[in-house]
Amino acid sequence: SRRIKALVINGSQVLAAETVVLAIGHSARDTFETLLARGIPMEPKAFAVGLRVQHPQTLINESQYGMKECGELGPASYKLTWKASDERGVYSFCMCPGGVVVAAQSEENTVVTNGMSYHARDGKNANAALAVSVDPKDYDDGTPFGGVALQRRIEHAAYAQTGSYRAPCQKVGDFLNGKPTRKLGAVKPSYPIGVELGEAAACLPDFAQTMLRDSLPYFGRKIRGYDTADALLTGPETRTSSPVRMTRGEDLFGLGCSGIIPCGEGAGYAGGIVSAGIDGERCAESLAEYLK
């Protein structure tokens, strides 16, 4: 018979388990700290930070379809990437046709944005994250949690900018010209908590601001009007993927933590819904093979 190797704690209930699939979210910071204290090996990993960009959905439709009204095609989406000479990149992430920018903070006195679309995708704005890649060398502090510390600095800085849970917001034209936004143009913000006009990227590291400023004109050549002056930047977006990774072997079981399979986003092996689902399938197959 196999020995009991782990315990799963759910509130006041304790469940004895031989094997545990550990599939926590990419922002489960308190759980990360608890697991590290319990001896689960972790290491820092690359992730990305940036802003949400909003355009009229009709602009994206016209660029992608050649017509403003999408009809049965459904609202148009896009995927963009740009890489600098030093190999650092900027990419669009979590593109939301006809969607809204939403709040995603999980700690007090912070601002974090994300995006979503309702089923009908019938909102006036399209939005997506413009994310700049961040490498562990950018935040190395000798611990697995240097990336978490960087996220927190950005999120607290954004809160300090507005003095509230409103998000910093800036027109693309003003951002490219290096001046704060004082008045909105044709694109209206969808962030439900409200925005504070000014400098949306000021909370980000200097390298991220530079990368965003350099990439927007390139994206404007890929999608006509993408760098239009009235498009909006709202931020920050810091939770693109986990900044830590729980190390595991070829069998997907954690190294140095018998009976535990770190899985998905929080474990550092996914960067979105689809990749997390695929990793979940792989972990399930590994578990089935082990139990067989």
Side-chain angles (χ1 to χ4, degrees), residues 80-84 88-92 130-132 172 175-176 207-223 226-227 233:
L80 296 168
T81 61
W82 179 79
K83 183 170 284 188
R88 194 190 297 277
V90 181
Y91 61 96
S92 63
L130 288 184
V132 179
V172 164
F175 175 66
L176 292 175
F207 70 81
Q209 297 183 43
T210 299
M211 291 288 289
L212 290 170
R213 192 169 281 114
D214 290 347
S215 65
L216 277 163
Y218 173 81
F219 293 152
R221 295 193 292 273
K222 294 294 182 180
I223 295 179
Y226 198 86
D227 56 347
L233 298 169

Side-chain angles (χ1 to χ4, degrees), residues 110-111 156-169 194-197 235:
T110 60
V111 175
H156 283 291
Y159 183 90
Q161 272 183 257
T162 67
S164 71
Y165 292 104
R166 296 189 304 275
C169 185
V195 299
E196 190 78 19
L197 299 180

